[in-house]
């Protein structure tokens, strides 16, 4: 698994040894696996968690899980976590919940990046996400840019898991007994 990631990283020049990496971690399978891959690589990193408070107790349990995970990971140097009033934000701007969560998430990422909390931020998009994005954009009639799918890199945001399918990620988690939310 590591060889494939290293080849993908070299091909797309996502990060190098000098970069302090951050993982946008929900506590779900993909982002949790990314944390364990960085552990296996012996790469220092930080975690970034967004609590959108949309699922009651479950949202708090996700946050608690990510905080606990951060203390168990040897190479995790810090955790940045923020709770949002997502429904209020969406209502005040007349936008949907998904768009509101996206706005809040990327605003928080920008804030942390500007404060130099990390150099590169990993989001855990994988090949299946990329295919889904391609198909949605194709259906919507997007131009060439839109049907290009999810780019491996956009500014400081990188997506090394685009090297893997969802099945490969599941298999890695099973083989390494990785628990997730």
């Amino acid at each position: 698994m590591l060889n494939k990631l290293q080849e993908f990283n070299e091909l797309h020049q996502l990060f190098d040894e000098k970069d302090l990496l951050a993982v946008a971690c929900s506590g779900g399978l993909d982002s949790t696996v990314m944390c364990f891959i960085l552990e296996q690589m012996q790469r220092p990193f930080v975690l970034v968690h967004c609590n959108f408070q949309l699922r009651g107790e479950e949202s708090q349990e996700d946050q608690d899980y990510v905080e606990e995970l951060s203390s168990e990971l040897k190479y995790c140097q810090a955790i940045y976590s923020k709770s949002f009033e997502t429904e209020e934000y969406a209502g005040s701007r007349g936008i949907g919940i998904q768009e509101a969560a996206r706005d809040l998430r990327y605003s928080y990422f920008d804030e942390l990046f500007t404060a130099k909390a990390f150099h590169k931020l990993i989001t855990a998009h994988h090949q299946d996400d990329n295919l889904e994005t391609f198909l949605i954009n194709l259906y919507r009639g997007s131009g060439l840019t839109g049907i290009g799918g999810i780019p491996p890199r956009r500014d400081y945001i990188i997506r090394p898991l685009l090297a893997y399918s969802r099945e490969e990620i599941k298999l890695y988690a099973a083989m390494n007994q990785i628990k997730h939310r």
Side-chain angles (χ1 to χ4, degrees), residues 10-22:
E10 287 177 24
L11 176 65
H12 297 285
Q13 299 177 340
L14 300 178
F15 61 89
D16 61 36
E17 293 175 9
K18 297 175 288 192
D19 290 321
L20 175 56
L21 302 176

Side-chain angles (χ1 to χ4, degrees), residues 9-80:
N9 181 45
E10 287 177 24
L11 176 65
H12 297 285
Q13 299 177 340
L14 300 178
F15 61 89
D16 61 36
E17 293 175 9
K18 297 175 288 192
D19 290 321
L20 175 56
L21 302 176
V23 177
C25 187
S26 65
L29 173 67
D30 306 329
S31 59
T32 302
V33 163
M34 188 68 235
C35 293
F36 280 89
I37 290 172
L38 291 174
E39 283 282 301
Q40 190 176 0
M41 293 173 69
Q42 300 180 350
R43 282 295 310 243
F45 63 98
V46 300
L47 292 181
V48 179
H49 178 74
C50 297
N51 182 345
F52 298 108
Q53 300 186 78
L54 296 171
R55 296 177 296 114
E57 258 184 59
E58 284 186 48
S59 292
Q60 186 57 50
E61 289 170 2
D62 291 348
Q63 182 174 331
D64 294 344
Y65 172 78
V66 173
E67 288 172 357
E68 183 180 319
L69 178 66
S70 74
S71 67
E72 294 173 3
L73 296 169
K74 180 179 177 182
Y75 291 92
C76 180
Q77 297 183 330
I79 181 170
Y80 300 95

